[in-house]
PDB file of all heavy atoms in Angstrom:
ATOM      1  N   VAL O 321      39.417 -10.012 103.870  1.00  0.00           N
ATOM      2  CA  VAL O 321      38.317 -10.682 103.071  1.00  0.00           C
ATOM      3  C   VAL O 321      37.757  -9.616 102.074  1.00  0.00           C
ATOM      4  O   VAL O 321      37.399 -10.109 100.942  1.00  0.00           O
ATOM      5  CB  VAL O 321      37.237 -11.300 103.969  1.00  0.00           C
ATOM      6  CG1 VAL O 321      36.074 -11.949 103.060  1.00  0.00           C
ATOM      7  CG2 VAL O 321      37.760 -12.396 104.846  1.00  0.00           C
ATOM      8  N   LEU O 322      37.593  -8.472 102.352  1.00  0.00           N
ATOM      9  CA  LEU O 322      37.038  -7.393 101.589  1.00  0.00           C
ATOM     10  C   LEU O 322      38.251  -6.461 101.249  1.00  0.00           C
ATOM     11  O   LEU O 322      39.125  -6.176 102.135  1.00  0.00           O
ATOM     12  CB  LEU O 322      35.909  -6.636 102.189  1.00  0.00           C
ATOM     13  CG  LEU O 322      34.610  -7.442 102.466  1.00  0.00           C
ATOM     14  CD1 LEU O 322      33.615  -6.582 103.104  1.00  0.00           C
ATOM     15  CD2 LEU O 322      34.120  -8.026 101.060  1.00  0.00           C
ATOM     16  N   THR O 323      38.107  -5.859 100.090  1.00  0.00           N
ATOM     17  CA  THR O 323      39.175  -4.801  99.709  1.00  0.00           C
ATOM     18  C   THR O 323      38.307  -3.496  99.566  1.00  0.00           C
ATOM     19  O   THR O 323      37.337  -3.536  98.741  1.00  0.00           O
ATOM     20  CB  THR O 323      39.852  -5.145  98.406  1.00  0.00           C
ATOM     21  OG1 THR O 323      40.547  -6.432  98.582  1.00  0.00           O
ATOM     22  CG2 THR O 323      40.878  -3.978  98.162  1.00  0.00           C
ATOM     23  N   ALA O 324      38.797  -2.468 100.234  1.00  0.00           N
ATOM     24  CA  ALA O 324      38.097  -1.145 100.100  1.00  0.00           C
ATOM     25  C   ALA O 324      38.281  -0.731  98.611  1.00  0.00           C
ATOM     26  O   ALA O 324      39.434  -0.707  98.091  1.00  0.00           O
ATOM     27  CB  ALA O 324      38.686  -0.181 101.053  1.00  0.00           C
ATOM     28  N   GLN O 325      37.079  -0.264  97.956  1.00  0.00           N
ATOM     29  CA  GLN O 325      37.250   0.222  96.600  1.00  0.00           C
ATOM     30  C   GLN O 325      37.154   1.732  96.626  1.00  0.00           C
ATOM     31  O   GLN O 325      35.954   2.197  96.863  1.00  0.00           O
ATOM     32  CB  GLN O 325      36.082  -0.489  95.785  1.00  0.00           C
ATOM     33  CG  GLN O 325      36.168  -1.982  95.810  1.00  0.00           C
ATOM     34  CD  GLN O 325      37.342  -2.478  95.005  1.00  0.00           C
ATOM     35  OE1 GLN O 325      37.678  -2.154  93.818  1.00  0.00           O
ATOM     36  NE2 GLN O 325      38.143  -3.398  95.741  1.00  0.00           N
ATOM     37  N   ILE O 326      38.259   2.356  96.408  1.00  0.00           N
ATOM     38  CA  ILE O 326      38.172   3.827  96.400  1.00  0.00           C
ATOM     39  C   ILE O 326      38.340   4.466  95.020  1.00  0.00           C
ATOM     40  O   ILE O 326      39.507   4.096  94.358  1.00  0.00           O
ATOM     41  CB  ILE O 326      39.199   4.436  97.441  1.00  0.00           C
ATOM     42  CG1 ILE O 326      38.922   3.982  98.790  1.00  0.00           C
ATOM     43  CG2 ILE O 326      39.387   5.921  97.305  1.00  0.00           C
ATOM     44  CD1 ILE O 326      39.970   4.381  99.885  1.00  0.00           C
ATOM     45  N   ALA O 327      37.460   5.152  94.561  1.00  0.00           N
ATOM     46  CA  ALA O 327      37.573   5.696  93.164  1.00  0.00           C
ATOM     47  C   ALA O 327      38.499   6.900  93.151  1.00  0.00           C
ATOM     48  O   ALA O 327      39.299   7.130  92.234  1.00  0.00           O
ATOM     49  CB  ALA O 327      36.262   6.010  92.628  1.00  0.00           C
ATOM     50  N   ALA O 328      38.355   7.646  94.112  1.00  0.00           N
ATOM     51  CA  ALA O 328      39.153   9.034  94.181  1.00  0.00           C
ATOM     52  C   ALA O 328      39.095   9.627  95.603  1.00  0.00           C
ATOM     53  O   ALA O 328      38.182   9.329  96.284  1.00  0.00           O
ATOM     54  CB  ALA O 328      38.704   9.934  93.128  1.00  0.00           C
ATOM     55  N   ARG O 329      39.997  10.500  95.934  1.00  0.00           N
ATOM     56  CA  ARG O 329      39.893  11.258  97.122  1.00  0.00           C
ATOM     57  C   ARG O 329      39.942  12.754  96.764  1.00  0.00           C
ATOM     58  O   ARG O 329      40.800  13.298  96.016  1.00  0.00           O
ATOM     59  CB  ARG O 329      41.067  11.007  98.048  1.00  0.00           C
ATOM     60  CG  ARG O 329      41.052   9.536  98.587  1.00  0.00           C
ATOM     61  CD  ARG O 329      42.324   9.316  99.465  1.00  0.00           C
ATOM     62  NE  ARG O 329      42.264   7.937 100.172  1.00  0.00           N
ATOM     63  CZ  ARG O 329      42.747   6.906  99.711  1.00  0.00           C
ATOM     64  NH1 ARG O 329      43.215   6.887  98.390  1.00  0.00           N
ATOM     65  NH2 ARG O 329      42.761   5.740 100.315  1.00  0.00           N
ATOM     66  N   PHE O 330      39.204  13.569  97.484  1.00  0.00           N
ATOM     67  CA  PHE O 330      39.119  14.959  97.348  1.00  0.00           C
ATOM     68  C   PHE O 330      39.139  15.575  98.659  1.00  0.00           C
ATOM     69  O   PHE O 330      38.404  15.078  99.689  1.00  0.00           O
ATOM     70  CB  PHE O 330      37.838  15.422  96.526  1.00  0.00           C
ATOM     71  CG  PHE O 330      37.775  15.072  95.229  1.00  0.00           C
ATOM     72  CD1 PHE O 330      37.464  13.876  94.786  1.00  0.00           C
ATOM     73  CD2 PHE O 330      38.164  15.943  94.166  1.00  0.00           C
ATOM     74  CE1 PHE O 330      37.269  13.499  93.334  1.00  0.00           C
ATOM     75  CE2 PHE O 330      38.129  15.729  92.885  1.00  0.00           C
ATOM     76  CZ  PHE O 330      37.682  14.481  92.382  1.00  0.00           C
ATOM     77  N   PRO O 331      39.720  16.766  98.821  1.00  0.00           N
ATOM     78  CA  PRO O 331      39.451  17.485 100.082  1.00  0.00           C
ATOM     79  C   PRO O 331      38.091  18.020 100.138  1.00  0.00           C
ATOM     80  O   PRO O 331      37.294  18.165  99.237  1.00  0.00           O
ATOM     81  CB  PRO O 331      40.413  18.736  99.978  1.00  0.00           C
ATOM     82  CG  PRO O 331      41.398  18.408  98.921  1.00  0.00           C
ATOM     83  CD  PRO O 331      40.660  17.491  97.954  1.00  0.00           C
ATOM     84  N   LEU O 332      37.533  18.146 101.383  1.00  0.00           N
ATOM     85  CA  LEU O 332      36.105  18.603 101.605  1.00  0.00           C
ATOM     86  C   LEU O 332      35.868  19.916 100.777  1.00  0.00           C
ATOM     87  O   LEU O 332      34.772  20.132 100.237  1.00  0.00           O
ATOM     88  CB  LEU O 332      35.793  18.763 103.078  1.00  0.00           C
ATOM     89  CG  LEU O 332      34.449  19.343 103.438  1.00  0.00           C
ATOM     90  CD1 LEU O 332      33.388  18.297 102.937  1.00  0.00           C
ATOM     91  CD2 LEU O 332      34.334  19.603 104.940  1.00  0.00           C
ATOM     92  N   ALA O 333      36.814  20.808 100.779  1.00  0.00           N
ATOM     93  CA  ALA O 333      36.640  22.137 100.017  1.00  0.00           C
ATOM     94  C   ALA O 333      36.409  21.835  98.586  1.00  0.00           C
ATOM     95  O   ALA O 333      36.019  22.711  97.870  1.00  0.00           O
ATOM     96  CB  ALA O 333      37.982  23.004 100.255  1.00  0.00           C
TER      97      ALA O 333
END
Side-chain angles (χ1 to χ4, degrees):
V321 173
L322 296 178
T323 301
Q325 302 293 306
I326 298 176
R329 292 178 174 88
F330 291 84
L332 179 62

